[in-house]
Amino acid sequence: MSTASPAIKQQKQNKKKNAVPEAQANGSATGHDSTDILNILQAQTKMAAKSQWDYKLALAVVTVLALVTRFYHISYPDEVVFDEVHFGKFASYYLQRTYFFDVHPPFGKLLFAFAGWFVGYDGSFLFENIGDSYITNKVPYIAYRTVPALLGSLTVSTVFLIMQESGYSLPACILAAGLVLFDNAHVAQTRLILLDATLVFAMALSVYCYVRFYKHRHVAFSRKWWKWLLLTGVSLSCVISTKYVGAFTFFSIGVPVMFDLWDLLDVNRKQGALALPDFGRHLGARVLGLIVFPYIIYLFWFQVHFAILTRSGPGDEFMSPAFQETLGDNIMTAQSVGVNYYDALTLRHKETKVYLHSHTERYPLRYDDGRVSSQGQQVTGYPHNDTNNQWQIQPINPAEIGKANVVKNGDVVKLRHLVTDTFLLSHDVASPYHPTNQEFTTISVEEANGPRWNDTLFEIRVDKVANGVPIRTKASQFKLLHYPSRVAMWTHTTPLPEWAFKQAEINGNKNIAASSNIWYFEDIPSLPAGDARFHQEPRQIKTLSFFKKYFELQGLMFHHNNALTSSHPYASHPISWPFLLRGVSFWTKNDTREQIYFIGNPVGWWLVGSLLAVFAGIVGADQLSLRRGVDVLDRRTRSRLYNSTGFFFLTWAAHYIPFYIMGRQLFLHHYLPAHLASSLVAGALLEFICNVEPDIDGAALSDALNTKSSVSLTTDGASKTNTAKTETNNKKTPISERVAGQGQGGMYLSWAVMAGIMAVVVAGYVYYAPLTYGDRGLTVEEVQSRKWPMSYDLHFAK
């Protein structure tokens, strides 16, 4: 049976052997000798290392289990899942060196690109749609998924090490790590090509490195002190270089660092006052290690980002013309040609890839909900190449503009459907599926040139590009705005009924700022081969300083991140996250009834959520007791409760509460860093509730370093006992010290409680595993049973 910590093992039999001499522990009147302190630390470390075999064995077992749960059946599904469409695509853009835009910093995406480069992949697959086959397209997706799976496994080990380095008992370490190890949400998120595994691992590593740094606070500026300070900065940089919510980790570390600096500034501190120059060294070192050094690394990843992405690509449209001039031509740009008036064109929607299409069939008189249509000619979205996709672009003043005139950004144009010889029109009639959106249809030439002239006018608008810039096929991505009503032509993925052959609905979206309004000209079928427009001069690449490019991109990233406010069927509010009220559907397969549904282990989430409330209650009760003169806790226990467990609680709050003031889309996976911190709180409270004694060696050293000398010199050189100190030690003993001797019993109890909790947690993990791995179809009854007690919106429940 393992014991509370390596120090407790020899508490009774080695107490005299391990005791620090009083004169050495108390120090001199002017402070402590750093060499003596270092010797104390080294002696205790050597003693503790001899008795850590049980921790090492437990760490090995936990790590192996983490690898098994994360790498199990990692090749399935062999299709694009959920946001792999984004981050897999970004990796391909890196490998093609094609410029793209994303709201997240580059570090996590560069890791995926490195994995693809390492196995020799060329990035030819662009992860366009969920469900696209990796096998058919010969994508090394297992190499991509190995990155988050490995980082997710190491996260579990890091949680264990955080608890161990904080001096917690082995059951507490196992419980904290086990709550992350067997959590279905952590497992699901770390098996796919997603950024959260990198984010959560870097966050956990930051906490671990800071704990190691804090343990060396009494040997300031030593080699190990500097090592762990700088490693903390590196870890923090990796967090914020993955996602900007990493700023919450900076806050988590920054608060205790400020408290530490505030204590160093105290002239009455027990270790003796620091001279202001010495305090300045402490402050400067922390600013350098935790702010300047991480920022330099953060900038380095952007430099790598710019150095790789040298070709023009889909991110061009977000950047200024000066920025775009630093990029060379890519394949898409090289194949693009200028658009002239009277060209026969095909228009394609950027997101859904459907062509703007029309045919002779008309809208029904009444829709299923009873609304009336115009009974005009149907305008739909069609995914395949067809002659009914061809439209001729015409000017509004044909007498002044001929075929040689180019179409430019900001031009107002008319679109004639060539096969039916009708003109595109939008008017104030509700669309089939969206009563608030306008219907798109076509009308005859006579009407288009007569009373309905204004309704056939459309503006070509490329955002953030000056008016007058020529429009090109493929490269120019624009919004087609109905000129009189200012709605944008839009489509979506829900097909129309049989009367429209299940083609996509085209309508006028009043939210013209939405990014889903983007279209582009795919091709010019009327352009003969060998036309002069196919000949292009190579682009002259210009230069722009790194910081000009960085600040431009940084501003756009913040802007677009805050602009992610559109609704999503699986978005959720932070109040629901600790209670696990809903998840996210990642992937489904209809013929086998398989699905991946992102949801945590309800047993573990409800347990840690309850223990967070318990911690707040314990702290409140302790403060109330102290106000009434009842000292319930001994000094060491209270110090651990407030400083160590309190630090974990602060980390949870810092990674959770700020989401309440965010206006952007939020999902359950945003809670994963906070859930990890709450697991640390749960492990710490196991030790507290079971009355396991804290690390005696660590507490003894703290006593030695935080206690003023009780020996003073008289005028004749004789020593005498400080009477004030004696009076202090004679005060009433706290209640917890009167029940001393329960440490071993507390250990047995903590093992029993930990084993019971982990048994239930593992059972919950196994029960929800089919939804985590998606490798087994469930019957209707099995799906329904997993919706209990929360009404999770699972598929195949009927």
Side-chain angles (χ1 to χ4, degrees), residues 416-474:
R416 182 171 72 95
H417 189 245
L418 292 176
V419 173
T420 61
D421 194 22
T422 55
F423 280 86
L424 185 67
L425 170 143
S426 182
H427 52 179
D428 191 16
V429 176
S431 68
Y433 279 165
H434 295 75
T436 59
N437 289 11
Q438 289 188 181
E439 177 189 86
F440 266 62
T441 183
T442 65
I443 58 173
S444 66
V445 175
E446 293 74 16
E447 289 182 285
N449 291 328
R452 307 297 301 275
W453 168 269
N454 285 341
D455 289 337
T456 62
L457 304 183
F458 293 88
E459 178 187 353
I460 296 177
R461 170 59 58 197
V462 181
D463 287 341
K464 297 182 176 61
V465 174
N467 286 348
V469 175
I471 298 296
R472 302 181 65 84
T473 61
K474 297 184 174 67

Side-chain angles (χ1 to χ4, degrees), residues 297-344:
I297 298 175
Y298 174 75
L299 292 178
F300 169 76
W301 297 122
F302 278 93
Q303 176 60 38
V304 174
H305 178 80
F306 294 141
I308 294 175
L309 304 181
T310 58
R311 295 177 179 172
S312 175
D316 294 14
E317 62 187 82
F318 295 92
M319 313 309 297
S320 67
F323 192 107
Q324 294 182 41
E325 289 175 346
T326 67
L327 302 170
D329 289 331
N330 63 5
I331 296 175
M332 181 186 72
T333 307
Q335 293 178 347
S336 69
V337 297
V339 176
N340 287 1
Y341 281 103
Y342 299 102
D343 281 340

Side-chain angles (χ1 to χ4, degrees), residues 44-350:
Q44 294 182 345
T45 301
K46 291 179 180 179
M47 182 202 70
K50 296 178 181 178
S51 55
Q52 284 188 331
W53 65 268
D54 47 358
Y55 280 80
K56 294 177 181 178
L57 177 61
L59 176 60
V61 171
V62 164
T63 303
V64 170
L65 289 174
L67 290 168
V68 170
T69 55
R70 272 68 181 170
F71 278 91
Y72 168 74
H73 218 173
I74 198 171
S75 61
Y76 193 82
D78 54 7
E79 301 175 355
V80 179
V81 177
F82 193 55
D83 276 354
E84 287 186 334
V85 295
H86 300 304
F87 303 115
K89 179 182 298 183
F90 296 151
S92 290
Y93 283 145
Y94 275 123
L95 295 174
Q96 295 178 352
R97 309 196 69 174
T98 301
Y99 189 80
F100 67 92
F101 176 82
D102 182 43
V103 297
H104 300 302
F107 176 65
K109 294 167 290 189
L110 283 168
L111 290 180
F112 291 127
F114 175 78
W117 171 84
F118 186 79
V119 298
Y121 185 55
D122 62 0
S124 56
F125 180 67
L126 291 181
F127 299 77
E128 295 289 358
N129 303 295
I130 294 176
D132 286 350
S133 173
Y134 287 134
I135 304 301
T136 303
N137 293 283
K138 299 180 180 180
V139 183
Y141 68 104
I142 295 178
Y144 282 141
R145 289 178 179 176
T146 295
V147 174
L150 182 60
L151 295 178
S153 303
L154 294 176
T155 299
V156 178
S157 306
T158 305
V159 171
F160 183 96
L161 291 172
I162 291 171
M163 297 296 292
Q164 181 184 3
E165 290 298 329
S166 299
Y168 286 99
S169 62
L170 187 53
C173 297
I174 294 174
L175 178 63
L179 289 170
V180 179
L181 167 61
F182 293 110
D183 182 70
N184 300 74
H186 282 276
V187 173
Q189 200 74 7
T190 56
R191 289 168 41 82
L192 302 173
I193 309 171
L194 304 173
L195 295 182
D196 295 271
T198 306
L199 175 76
V200 176
F201 172 68
M203 171 261 186
L205 195 62
S206 300
V207 174
Y208 171 73
C209 291
Y210 176 71
V211 170
R212 296 296 303 267
F213 166 71
Y214 184 74
K215 291 177 68 174
H216 289 82
R217 65 193 181 280
H218 296 299
V219 284
F221 306 106
S222 64
R223 182 178 61 84
K224 289 188 176 181
W225 185 90
W226 274 111
K227 179 182 79 172
W228 290 110
L229 174 64
L230 294 177
L231 285 177
T232 303
V234 171
S235 302
L236 287 171
S237 179
C238 290
V239 184
I240 203 165
S241 297
T242 303
K243 285 187 176 183
Y244 286 124
V245 292
F248 303 157
T249 309
F250 270 87
F251 181 82
S252 304
I253 303 298
V255 169
V257 167
M258 288 189 290
F259 273 101
D260 188 29
L261 288 171
W262 185 252
D263 178 66
L264 291 174
L265 193 59
D266 186 4
V267 71
N268 296 317
R269 62 192 293 267
K270 294 181 179 180
Q271 293 86 356
L274 275 182
L276 285 180
D278 292 333
F279 174 79
R281 289 177 63 206
H282 277 275
L283 175 62
R286 286 162 173 80
V287 170
L288 175 66
L290 302 179
I291 298 178
V292 177
F293 190 48
Y295 185 62
I296 292 174
I297 298 175
Y298 174 75
L299 292 178
F300 169 76
W301 297 122
F302 278 93
Q303 176 60 38
V304 174
H305 178 80
F306 294 141
I308 294 175
L309 304 181
T310 58
R311 295 177 179 172
S312 175
D316 294 14
E317 62 187 82
F318 295 92
M319 313 309 297
S320 67
F323 192 107
Q324 294 182 41
E325 289 175 346
T326 67
L327 302 170
D329 289 331
N330 63 5
I331 296 175
M332 181 186 72
T333 307
Q335 293 178 347
S336 69
V337 297
V339 176
N340 287 1
Y341 281 103
Y342 299 102
D343 281 340
L345 303 153
T346 57
L347 285 77
R348 204 167 192 182
H349 188 242
K350 180 182 177 181

Side-chain angles (χ1 to χ4, degrees), residues 688-708:
F688 176 84
I689 294 172
C690 293
N691 196 31
V692 177
E693 296 181 34
D695 186 337
I696 296 301
D697 288 334
L701 179 63
S702 181
D703 289 343
L705 297 173
N706 293 316
T707 305
K708 287 185 177 180

Side-chain angles (χ1 to χ4, degrees), residues 766-786:
V766 172
Y767 187 66
Y768 282 91
L771 302 179
T772 302
Y773 296 96
D775 57 351
R776 180 169 72 86
L778 301 176
T779 65
V780 173
E781 293 74 19
E782 288 175 322
V783 173
Q784 289 286 358
S785 66
R786 284 163 177 80

